Amino acid sequence: MDARCRHEWRRRHTEAKLTSTGLTRFFDGVCASEEVGVRKPARQFFEAAAELCGMDLRLGGWMVGDNPETDIEGGRAAGLHTMWIAAGRQWPKNVRSPDVVVADVAEATAALSALAL
């Protein structure tokens, strides 16, 4: 499989996950590392994602994810509020806590709805 096919598969896979979990309505776009040439937790990734969505990263926003280092630490370093999907795991002891911890995607959806995003 060439790089373009992998990229398109990953994008379709991510979009399918968002649709199946009911989270699509909370997103203005999907940013793939392969498109922007950098991976989380690089600030450039979050800047590219904000630009893709027509937003200014300096205005803030939310990073919702399940990886403490790449999602939560990366999002925080980029100036975003953070929501961690724990999925039965404990938060690492030596890492600053996220703004919000939820048990699963359903709880993340409810929390985002309550924030009126």
Side-chain angles (χ1 to χ4, degrees), residues 5-35 39-40 45 49 52-53 63-66 71 105:
C5 289
R6 280 192 306 273
H7 154 70
E8 290 171 2
W9 178 86
R10 286 183 184 155
R11 171 178 280 290
R12 286 194 307 267
H13 179 72
T14 299
E15 290 171 346
K17 282 188 348 185
L18 292 174
T19 299
S20 70
T21 58
L23 292 174
T24 303
R25 64 190 167 115
F26 298 113
F27 294 86
D28 294 317
V30 174
C31 185
S33 298
E34 294 84 1
E35 291 177 353
R39 298 178 63 82
K40 294 179 285 180
F45 176 87
L52 176 73
C53 295
M63 173 60 207
V64 179
D66 62 358
D71 296 334
V105 172

Side-chain angles (χ1 to χ4, degrees), residues 94-116:
N94 297 326
V95 180
R96 187 174 143 206
S97 296
D99 297 309
V100 176
V101 175
V102 295
D104 53 33
V105 172
E107 196 173 319
T109 303
L112 291 169
S113 293
L115 293 167

Side-chain angles (χ1 to χ4, degrees), residues 67-96:
N67 185 296
E69 292 80 22
T70 60
D71 296 334
I72 305 306
E73 285 294 311
R76 180 181 298 114
L80 300 172
H81 298 285
T82 57
M83 182 181 298
W84 183 56
I85 300 174
R89 298 167 293 152
Q90 295 295 314
W91 184 255
K93 292 186 188 297
N94 297 326
V95 180
R96 187 174 143 206

